[in-house]
Amino acid sequence: MEYKEIICEDAWKACCGAGYPLGAFKFKSKNTELYSINRKLHREGEPAYIEYHEGTGKIKIKEYFLNNKYYRVDGPAINHYYSNGTIRLEEYYLNDQLHREDGMAFIEYDENRVPIRGFYFLFGGGMSKEEWENQIQTKLYW
């Protein structure tokens, strides 16, 4: 997909505003990049929202969207990073719902990448590890 690049002061305002025609755009501001199609966050296989730490230029946030919904099949749809570049948060989504079949769908880490907390979800429904394992084994969620 070819995105027309637009440099602006506020990428969010530009992306979601009615001032731009419909089409595929990359809105870029000082620390933010947004990819949209017809004013909806959308980018296949790559993050549609990227935010950088001020000063270092390292990635702070990466978020994957399809048709304005959190969506990613092959990894977390939301990634937050500490300023040193290590992962701080991972969230797995399918069709805008927290969902993961091979582990926790929400995981928060300390700066040494040690998990602080995590939660199991299937199609947006949170559950204990035992409930999750039972549903995965018996395919109750299908």
Side-chain angles (χ1 to χ4, degrees):
M1 172 68 57
E2 190 73 30
Y3 291 86
K4 181 180 179 181
E5 186 170 307
I6 296 175
I7 308 295
C8 51
E9 290 230 2
D10 185 339
W12 275 113
K13 191 181 238 182
C15 173
C16 301
Y20 287 97
L22 299 178
F25 292 95
K26 172 185 177 182
F27 296 93
K28 189 171 183 175
S29 60
K30 184 179 177 186
N31 294 318
T32 307
E33 293 177 25
L34 291 162
Y35 294 81
S36 73
I37 295 179
N38 299 332
R39 298 187 198 114
K40 292 182 180 182
L41 290 171
H42 182 92
R43 192 173 180 206
E44 293 184 28
E46 299 290 333
Y49 173 74
I50 306 165
E51 184 178 329
Y52 300 92
H53 283 281
E54 244 180 88
T56 67
K58 289 186 177 183
I59 293 177
K60 180 178 182 180
I61 300 170
K62 285 192 310 188
E63 297 180 349
Y64 292 74
F65 289 87
L66 287 179
N67 297 315
N68 229 32
K69 294 181 179 183
Y70 286 118
Y71 189 94
R72 188 170 178 206
V73 177
D74 60 349
I78 298 176
N79 305 275
H80 289 213
Y81 300 89
Y82 288 103
S83 58
N84 66 6
T86 60
I87 191 76
R88 185 178 72 80
L89 177 72
E90 292 179 324
E91 294 182 41
Y92 292 76
Y93 281 83
L94 202 58
N95 292 322
D96 223 25
Q97 294 181 325
L98 278 164
H99 177 84
R100 188 172 179 201
E101 297 176 23
D102 62 350
M104 292 180 280
F106 177 98
I107 311 162
E108 188 174 359
Y109 301 93
D110 69 12
E111 289 191 51
N112 297 312
R113 207 178 192 296
V114 175
I116 298 171
R117 62 188 176 133
F119 303 98
Y120 293 89
F121 285 85
L122 291 172
F123 298 106
M127 58 195 67
S128 69
K129 182 177 181 182
E130 292 77 25
E131 291 172 307
W132 176 83
E133 287 173 340
N134 182 51
Q135 289 201 23
I136 291 295
Q137 289 173 357
T138 59
K139 302 280 187 197
L140 289 175
Y141 60 93
W142 293 115

